[in-house]
Amino acid sequence: GPGFAAVAMRVAGLLLAWALLRPAGTQQCQPGTPGAVLRFTDTHAEIRVPALHRVPSSLDPLYGLVRRCLDLIQQNPLPTELLRAALNDPGSVRTSQVVQYELGYVVCAVVALLFTVAVPVAGMCFCYCRSHRRCGGRLRAHRRSRGCHRHCLLACLALTSLVILVSVVCAFVTSHRVKGQMGPGLGAVPATLRTLRQHIASVPQGVQMVVDQFEVPRQHITSELGGLSRSVGLSIHAQLKAMTYAALADLQDRAGDLQTSLHHLQILDKTGRALASARAELEPALQERRQRVVALLDDPRCTSCASVLGRAQNLRLDADYGKVGFGAGPPPSSPPLGQPRGSRYCFFHSKVPSVEKVLKALAGLPRSDFAEMICQGNGTFNSIPELAVERMAQVIQDLRDEMAQITEKVQSIADGFPLHDYTRPVSEALVKAEDRSQPYLREVERFEQYRWITGTVLCSIVLLILTCNMAGMALGTYGLSKREDPSDYECRGEAGAKFLLVGVGLAFLFSWLLILLVFATFLVGGNVQTLVCRNWINQEIYKFIDTPGNLPPSMNLTQHLNLRRDTNLSAAYRECKNGAGLWEVLQLNSSYDLDEHLKTLKYTANFQKRLGDFTVHLGDVRLLRSEGRQDLETFARSGVDEVDYGRFQEEMKNPVVQTSLPGLARSLEGLQKMQRNGTVAGRLAAEARALWEMQNSTVQAQEALVAKLGESVQFLSRLAPHLQERVKKTLATTASVEARLPVQAQQILRQEIGCFTRKELRYFAQYLSWVGQTLREDVASCQPLATALDNGRVILCDRIADPWNAFWFSLGCCTFFLIPNIIFAVRLTKHFRPIRNRLISTGSEETCPFHIPRVTALKL
């Protein structure tokens, strides 16, 4: 029935509203949306050559002073011709060439030789002189200037001792630093060579680690492949739901219009019939009641009844909604007063149009269940995501299989990387250098141990000499302060003099050893600084190696390292230092084009083709079946819009009875109170009650029917002018949506798959770009070679040569300051012994057995 249909339509509307408000899911792939930034595991080679740097030290000013001194001693540049001859034909090297280049060192050698000869000879002369009591004896006479002279000698000896002390402390510190750096430095040579060899040997492993990182984009792509079909379905649903739901809502409105119109038309027909029937029943009763009231009011006994007589005469029916039968002729405006009750006029009269034709056209509608049809269309459309998952399952599996094949193709990068043949010469050269360096390093370490022991012993002797100086000066000065007469013997002063002489003897005895150690370390350290370090820093060594003909064929590093023909060691060093790859330094470009092997299309061609060729039919969404369409077309042609609803509205403006029955009844009740005649008053009251009964029983029922009729007329009058247009629009919209859904679904499918393809290709591009960068700058980088060379310079020059040269410089200062130390100590010795007052005699003081002190002797 109409009630059940209305409920069904309401349920369909609620379902449609839920579908409109339900979230359609997020779209994972939209045009222009960038893919995620891939994060790859750090695959830096585990074997590394850590870079060493010069560490600032408090001895840096001393190191700088020594380097400036060496630059003055050796001002010649790198001896290119001499080195070329020494490397290619050692027999052709002349001694004069070496002497000419090493002229500064030769001069220093002459000075050292003179010192080595002169100091021991001076020591022997001092011993001879001392044995004859000449040197280091006693003063012959006392003078006033002796005190000033003694103080001057004390100050000079103290200052000299202070300089020697500072120098020997620096010698101790630098010697210890050389020993501390020599062991790690020498150990770093084979360790660095071994590390470089392991780094080169680990290149294939590093390449494999890089290739294994393809797991990162593969997991991203595989994960997104799993959600591709649902994402495509949700995107199709989200982009088409507005159009589809609007068509379903429009269709629901038209179905509602059909149901409601049919309901109101039926009400219109039934109510009109009921009003006509009620009018036919009310007409005789109202006519009889009018006659009785008019007769009563015309009675002369009725006081003041003339004012109500006119209203009583108009007591007749007004509105006419259907057939009314009063006789064979046309109905009079008011039946004759003497018309007998029960007589009828049979005629047809109606002031409103009939809707029987429309109801006949709509008979049997709706033949289809629009609520079920709308729910079914909505369900079919909402099932698109699940349908997409089902239809795209095979292509998703094919793409997963393709990803496995791409993984095999990426593995070919590691399998075909041709580094072994090119790195083998480098590895062999490193092995050879490591083996050959071991004996030399052991010898250097052994000689360094000897140097350290000798330097420590000699520095200790220097400290002993300084101790003798300090003790001698302290005891001598103390003895002088306690001596009352300069000629008196004082044991403390004598002990101070002896301490000074012991120090002098030690200086004479060991100074030649000191100078020999100074010269030996100076000759080695100075040449290392001026010949190696200075030219290493200014790149002159690399230039010498790069110059053709300087090195013999057996030492041709460009050939041994398999460098490019158009490059040299300096260029290779700079490229390696800047992080260049081995194939940029070695001859790899001609045999292996890395960029060609890292082209994205090489790995993704089939992947793109499968996605590009994929098509799928997601099925047709039927919003309106043929029987529903026929129902709407029948509804539009039924003539609902042709009914003149204005006539209904005009007729409803008229009351059921021209004179208001409640008003007339109240007037009669008012007249009743004014009557003197009880009979007339009783009849007026009876007529008033009869009018109230007619109003409450019959007229009110007809007025309720008129109100119900008005609601239906109002609805139909609003619907009728737009019915044809709305139905046509709904049918056109529904047909258009049904036709556009498959086409637009395919377009969205292609758009989403294209977007997905671009995003996955960005993953491939990110990975391959990272592979290229990593292979060039990390895994197959030659930067460790440049780092090893820089570390060698830091170890040899900054950590060993600098403190080594500072050691001989400090020890040399000690040695040379021993000469003034000897002179000042010998001169000061005489002042610490008692003064002999000279007698006027030609004999010696030592041979005169008697001595008479002079009265003029002064106390020191």
Side-chain angles (χ1 to χ4, degrees), residues 490-543:
E490 213 287 321
C491 62
R492 288 180 288 261
E494 187 67 25
K498 289 180 179 180
F499 268 112
L500 291 178
L501 289 178
V502 170
V504 170
L506 290 174
F508 278 125
L509 186 61
F510 291 101
S511 59
W512 66 278
L513 291 176
L514 286 169
I515 199 65
L516 288 179
L517 178 61
V518 168
F519 178 72
T521 53
F522 158 72
L523 188 62
V524 174
N527 276 289
V528 168
Q529 172 62 35
T530 58
L531 187 63
V532 179
C533 294
R534 185 171 65 188
N535 294 293
W536 198 339
I537 293 174
N538 59 24
Q539 306 288 312
E540 289 296 328
I541 289 181
Y542 296 130
K543 295 178 182 177

Side-chain angles (χ1 to χ4, degrees), residues 251 254-255 258 365 370 624 627-637 727 730-731:
L251 180 60
R254 299 293 80 73
L258 172 60
L365 294 185
F370 281 95
L624 182 63
E627 58 269 22
R629 182 178 296 275
Q630 292 176 3
D631 285 350
L632 292 181
E633 291 176 349
T634 302
F635 177 44
R637 296 193 302 266
V727 171
T730 299
L731 294 176

